[in-house]
Amino acid sequence: MKAYRIHVQGIVQAVGFRPFIYRIAHEHNLRGYVKNLGDAGVEIVVEGQEEDIEAFIQDIYRKKPPLARVDRLEKKEIPPQGFPEFYIEKSSKGGSGGDSIIPPDIAICEDCLRELFDPTNKRYMYPFIVCTNCGPRFTIIEDLPYDRENTTMREFPMCDFCESEYKDPLNRRYHAEPVCCPVCGPSYRLYTSDGKEITGDPLRKAAELIDKGYIVAIKGIGGIHLACDATNEEVVAELRKRTFRPQKPFAIMADSLETVKSFAYVSKEEEEELTSYRRPIITLRKKEPFPLPENLAPRLHTIGVMLPYAGTHYILFHWSKSKVYVMTSANYPGMPMVKNNEKAFEELKDIADYLLLHNRKILNRADDSVIRFVDGKRAVIRRSRGFVPLPIEIPFEYRGLAVGAELMNAFGIAKNGKVYPSQYIGNTGKVEVLEFMRRAIEHFKRILRVKELDLIIADLHPAYNTTKLAMELANEMDVELLQVQHHYAHIASVLAERKIESAVGIALDGVGYGTDGNVWGGEVLYLSYEDVERLTHIDYYPLPGGDLASYYPLRALMGILSKVYSIEELEGVIRKCCPKAVESLKYGEVEFSVILNQLAKGINLSHASSTGRVLDSLAVLLNIAYRRHYEGEPAMKLESFAMKGKNDLKFEIPVEDGLIMAEELFVQVLEVLDRASPADIAYSAHLALARAFADTAIEKAREFGVKDVAISGGVSYNELIVKTIRKAVEGSGLRFHATTEVPRGDNGINVGQAFLGGLYLEGYLSREDLML
């Protein structure tokens, strides 16, 4: 007889791992026990014949539960202790700094969905139905080990029926911590906006109200959504008015994949993602003619769609005539999604006509994740519900906090060769969001058992609230602070995910504070374990009014054109080509005159190499968009317009003295503006920008002797630009890389920051390398 102690780390809690071990131990005639070790994973002690133990270990890998992941398995021979049987031991409450990973929130499984609509089942039409294979995890957990008393479910003592399933190792609800039923679990109530409860079946009545054209706030797994009938153009317009979102696309939820395919094109890869346990929002290409109201996603060729992921959603659609709901986060622009009942009545009374609320606390807010497929590959835009808190591996062993960017923020905790990105935090320029971030950092440190830090990493921008927070935390904790340049972190995130040690990087976005104090955003960089260099960029152009140019892109257009036209010529071009842009300025003609004066005298100007502002400027010149109501709006509408183009007009952007002369693109556009199709012009401008960056990156890769080219930044969600660059890079014999797990925009900056922090602590790169 042999005996072994086996230590397993990975996703081994809250996924049915212990009952799985129990079953296969019995199958192989083994004795001993299995127990959770809190954050340190799972411990298994087995006694039996050597060949049975080896077969048992093989089955751990081959037959593990679908949501489980074994990252590390270590075994050590020990003396036999004479166990009479194999059993499941109570969890250990200790923490040893290990790597046990809490799974994310998981969409309802097929077994639970079948039971949900089975009239003979005890949980028939019960919206909180769950088992070991599905349901909330991250959003309800307060601490490790993942036991009921450490979740918000501790407020709902199990009835005898639920407890019998919970304690049965052969039941699929064995130690499913959120397990409950109508007798003992959470419940919904339906209220008017002024707090009066409505009697009757709350979900059925909520569905009827949505069908009648009302806006209903619905509390779900990670927060509260605002829902209405997505087929009703008038109610969609009313929702826009109440939420102050005149243009921002609304996410919609469809009752089935079949319904989605009636209004959008769905590739095989998109279908797999839509129906995965993550159930993210996927931006799909609209069918033409688009059968739903255009005001769901005004002037865009895509629509953000998700499928139901909780019993609540399936029940609502069961009672509803509508097959498609708007399902957007319940918050005012820039503010955190509402998650508490008390706050819901306070903050949503002027938005929602009715509120459908349950009485289970949401401990950790988690917005819906958003994904787009770009050039056939997954590109994560917002990494939150369904992903968090799964880690990204990095080759550095240290404990650190990467606070991320200012907008689209998520921070990351580095520990034991992994980065654990947080849920979506948002715009940290808002005090309420920054406070949410502080609380979330403390929560992550607690569940990851990180008490002390080796390093805090922040952006180089001195005015970012995240940078200021990092400075405060560094002082409070007496931890070293490292600031790294924004675009270095973008490219570093690709090196981290793709596990490459050097690359020429193309970093394309709207704004990033440069090491020279200017606004970067159109960069070709070299990054390796031993060096980081800025190689090429869009030649600087003036931005009158600085950050105002991101909201009123006419300012950026005028700045770019001022490089090639006199002030008088510039005024004539604007008045001839895009006079409505002048009207769009807050102060109209007066403001237009001020901008011309600023450019003439060189006062109140920033200087930028931003690709985002170049695309915004083209949107103005082609009369596609004049204002930015949401992040990336003009460039996104330009891309949608360009997708209608067919003919490449062969615009060429020269590279002179190592600088990409983007203003020359505008000269060429103006030359054909009167005779070429505007869609062809937009299409051709995208290709020209892409070719300029691709050709430069290929040249520099050869110069530096590297085989890898990486792209990152907000513009790397653009289909036309990414596809053109990828084809050119691969056509030259180089390897092209973009992330598929880490967000390409600012939501993924934290991973790059953590990677650069590791390079710094290991002595590969100096502080000066990352700031100069």
Side-chain angles (χ1 to χ4, degrees):
M1 179 185 290
K2 293 283 188 177
Y4 290 92
R5 177 174 283 110
I6 301 169
H7 185 204
V8 184
Q9 292 182 311
I11 303 177
V12 291
Q13 294 195 41
V15 291
F17 193 77
R18 285 180 297 164
F20 157 70
I21 294 296
Y22 175 89
R23 289 192 298 272
I24 63 171
H26 279 273
E27 288 173 11
H28 293 287
N29 299 309
L30 301 178
R31 296 170 298 283
Y33 66 83
V34 58
K35 74 171 180 177
N36 278 341
L37 295 176
D39 64 309
V42 166
E43 179 184 81
I44 306 165
V45 170
V46 287
E47 294 179 353
Q49 299 300 314
E50 183 80 45
E51 60 270 22
D52 291 331
I53 293 174
E54 285 302 316
F56 166 79
I57 292 173
Q58 290 302 312
D59 277 355
I60 291 177
Y61 287 104
R62 292 191 301 111
K63 298 180 180 179
K64 65 183 184 298
L67 297 174
R69 191 179 82 200
V70 176
D71 291 338
R72 188 178 305 163
L73 186 150
E74 299 172 347
K75 70 171 186 173
K76 179 181 179 182
E77 187 170 3
I78 59 174
Q81 299 175 48
F83 291 101
E85 61 182 356
F86 193 92
Y87 62 94
I88 299 173
E89 189 171 286
K90 187 174 175 61
S91 300
S92 167
K93 294 191 178 296
S96 60
D99 286 326
S100 180
I101 302 166
I102 304 162
D105 301 288
I106 300 160
I108 186 172
C109 69
E110 289 300 318
D111 289 329
C112 284
L113 188 58
R114 184 172 56 254
E115 292 175 352
L116 181 66
F117 292 108
D118 178 2
T120 67
N121 192 277
K122 186 178 177 68
R123 297 183 179 89
Y124 173 62
M125 299 297 276
Y126 182 59
F128 301 95
I129 187 171
V130 296
C131 71
T132 309
N133 298 320
C134 65
R137 300 292 193 272
F138 170 73
T139 50
I140 64 171
I141 190 167
E142 186 170 353
D143 204 352
L144 288 178
Y146 179 67
D147 288 332
R148 194 177 182 100
E149 60 264 30
N150 287 329
T151 75
T152 58
M153 286 301 297
R154 64 175 173 266
E155 298 179 7
F156 302 95
M158 285 180 279
C159 65
D160 291 343
F161 173 77
C162 288
E163 190 171 15
S164 68
E165 292 188 320
Y166 181 84
K167 291 183 175 179
D168 180 1
L170 300 179
N171 192 288
R172 96 171 186 278
R173 291 191 171 90
Y174 175 75
H175 276 247
E177 306 306 339
V179 68
C180 56
C181 73
V183 173
C184 63
S187 59
Y188 272 103
R189 298 287 185 273
L190 181 63
Y191 303 92
T192 61
S193 59
D194 58 1
K196 295 178 182 177
E197 185 175 348
I198 296 175
T199 59
D201 183 338
L203 273 76
R204 183 170 186 169
K205 285 190 174 291
E208 292 170 352
L209 289 166
I210 290 172
D211 286 344
K212 290 177 181 178
Y214 291 104
I215 297 167
V216 179
I218 301 171
K219 186 176 181 181
I221 290 177
I224 297 175
H225 287 94
L226 295 168
C228 69
D229 181 359
T231 67
N232 185 330
E233 186 173 3
E234 290 184 4
V235 72
V236 173
E238 180 63 23
L239 181 59
R240 289 201 171 282
K241 180 181 176 182
R242 295 185 191 180
T243 56
F244 303 103
R245 301 178 197 171
Q247 293 288 316
K248 187 175 182 179
F250 282 140
I252 62 176
M253 178 180 282
D255 69 337
S256 66
L257 186 62
E258 182 183 10
T259 298
V260 174
K261 290 181 177 179
S262 71
F263 59 77
Y265 297 103
V266 184
S267 69
K268 179 183 176 182
E269 294 79 11
E270 288 166 337
E271 181 174 329
E272 288 176 356
E273 196 69 46
L274 268 173
T275 57
S276 72
Y277 73 81
R278 291 178 289 272
R279 291 292 204 281
I281 298 167
I282 309 288
T283 59
L284 301 172
R285 188 163 181 169
K286 296 175 180 175
K287 283 188 173 179
E288 295 292 345
F290 187 56
L292 298 177
E294 177 60 23
N295 64 349
L296 289 170
R299 303 185 72 181
L300 295 177
H301 71 292
T302 58
I303 182 78
V305 186
M306 60 180 155
L307 290 173
Y309 55 84
T312 303
H313 305 139
Y314 282 100
I315 295 171
L316 286 169
F317 279 121
H318 174 80
W319 294 121
S320 183
K321 294 177 183 177
S322 176
K323 293 179 178 295
V324 191
Y325 286 171
V326 169
M327 194 68 76
T328 189
S329 299
N331 59 276
Y332 287 104
M335 300 296 286
M337 179 168 59
V338 179
K339 67 182 179 73
N340 298 328
N341 293 4
E342 298 78 13
K343 286 284 186 181
F345 287 115
E346 178 185 332
E347 297 183 19
L348 304 178
K349 64 180 184 296
D350 296 326
I351 302 178
D353 300 307
Y354 298 90
L355 295 91
L356 180 64
L357 305 175
H358 61 71
N359 58 341
R360 182 176 67 199
K361 291 179 182 176
I362 298 171
L363 190 68
N364 304 304
R365 181 187 287 107
D367 291 74
D368 298 310
S369 296
V370 183
I371 289 171
R372 181 179 182 184
F373 278 77
V374 178
D375 192 24
K377 300 290 185 182
R378 183 172 74 176
V380 181
I381 297 172
R382 187 168 75 194
R383 188 181 188 273
S384 202
R385 180 189 53 75
F387 285 90
V388 176
L390 299 181
I392 305 294
E393 290 187 0
I394 58 172
F396 307 108
E397 298 274 343
Y398 77 102
R399 297 192 172 206
L401 166 64
V403 297
E406 186 82 341
L407 301 176
M408 291 290 291
N409 177 268
F411 62 85
I413 300 286
K415 175 191 173 186
N416 295 352
K418 295 181 176 71
V419 183
Y420 295 82
S422 74
Q423 72 269 50
Y424 174 74
I425 301 296
N427 176 5
T428 52
K430 303 279 188 179
V431 173
E432 294 86 351
V433 178
L434 197 64
E435 184 56 36
F436 164 37
M437 181 181 178
R438 287 177 185 270
R439 292 194 301 270
I441 288 172
E442 288 306 310
H443 180 70
F444 262 73
K445 285 172 61 184
R446 179 168 61 253
I447 63 174
L448 292 172
R449 297 292 193 265
V450 174
K451 294 182 179 179
E452 296 181 353
L453 299 173
D454 301 314
L455 187 68
I456 296 176
I457 313 101
D459 194 89
L460 194 58
H461 200 305
Y464 273 7
N465 279 329
T466 50
T467 303
K468 294 175 182 176
L469 176 61
M471 291 176 176
E472 290 178 22
L473 294 174
N475 286 331
E476 290 173 10
M477 303 175 68
D478 193 24
V479 178
E480 184 179 5
L481 173 67
L482 176 70
Q483 290 179 257
V484 301
Q485 202 280 323
H486 187 89
H487 299 95
Y488 298 170
H490 265 309
I491 300 304
S493 71
V494 187
L495 268 63
E497 181 186 308
R498 305 300 294 170
K499 294 179 172 54
I500 51 179
E501 294 190 2
S502 64
V504 168
I506 304 172
L508 309 178
D509 64 8
V511 176
Y513 187 80
T515 59
D516 57 2
N518 290 319
V519 178
W520 291 11
E523 317 301 314
V524 178
L525 312 168
Y526 172 70
L527 179 61
S528 72
Y529 276 37
E530 297 178 350
D531 190 20
V532 57
E533 292 184 41
R534 187 191 194 199
L535 306 176
T536 308
H537 59 87
I538 289 176
D539 190 27
Y540 288 131
Y541 51 86
L543 281 182
D547 192 47
L548 277 174
S550 65
Y551 297 95
Y552 298 92
L554 174 60
R555 290 173 170 271
L557 174 62
M558 293 172 68
I560 292 170
L561 294 180
S562 72
K563 295 187 68 179
V564 289
Y565 296 106
S566 68
I567 296 300
E568 293 74 17
E569 291 171 329
L570 171 59
E571 181 178 2
V573 167
I574 299 299
R575 293 196 183 280
K576 176 185 176 183
C577 299
C578 45
K580 290 185 178 179
V582 177
E583 298 172 14
S584 75
L585 294 170
K586 188 173 183 179
Y587 300 105
E589 286 288 345
V590 173
E591 188 172 344
F592 182 56
S593 297
V594 169
I595 297 169
L596 290 169
N597 189 52
Q598 287 176 317
L599 289 167
K601 296 182 178 179
I603 56 175
N604 193 23
L605 302 176
S606 298
H607 289 86
S609 61
S610 164
T611 309
R613 297 295 87 83
V614 169
L615 294 170
D616 291 351
S617 299
L618 285 165
V620 174
L621 188 58
L622 295 175
N623 293 290
I624 295 166
Y626 308 120
R627 290 279 303 275
R628 190 199 87 180
H629 301 92
Y630 59 88
E631 189 69 25
E633 177 187 357
M636 288 168 63
K637 290 183 173 177
L638 177 71
E639 181 194 9
S640 291
F641 191 72
M643 298 297 276
K644 301 174 184 176
K646 297 179 181 178
N647 300 315
D648 184 2
L649 303 174
K650 303 295 182 183
F651 297 144
E652 292 186 9
I653 302 176
V655 180
E656 299 176 5
D657 299 323
L659 298 173
I660 298 169
M661 313 302 287
E663 66 272 14
E664 294 299 325
L665 172 62
F666 288 81
V667 174
Q668 295 168 53
V669 167
L670 286 166
E671 288 175 352
V672 301
L673 199 56
D674 292 334
R675 62 178 187 272
S677 155
D680 286 346
I681 292 173
Y683 175 74
S684 303
H686 278 82
L687 301 190
L689 265 173
R691 285 193 292 261
F693 279 105
D695 292 346
T696 304
I698 291 166
E699 177 187 335
K700 295 299 181 181
R702 288 172 176 158
E703 182 181 321
F704 278 76
V706 299
K707 290 291 185 181
D708 298 289
V709 174
I711 190 169
S712 189
V715 177
S716 61
Y717 296 115
N718 185 295
E719 173 83 15
L720 291 172
I721 288 176
V722 171
K723 189 172 185 177
T724 303
I725 292 176
R726 193 263 306 163
K727 284 184 174 180
V729 168
E730 292 181 347
S732 71
L734 300 173
R735 294 183 290 262
F736 176 79
H737 299 275
T739 57
T740 60
E741 293 288 335
V742 178
R744 300 181 185 184
D746 282 5
N747 194 230
I749 280 278
N750 66 88
V751 175
Q753 289 176 340
F755 186 87
L756 293 174
L759 287 176
Y760 168 73
L761 288 176
E762 293 286 334
Y764 291 108
L765 294 176
S766 69
R767 183 179 294 274
E768 290 71 25
D769 290 330
L770 298 167
M771 297 178 66
L772 299 176

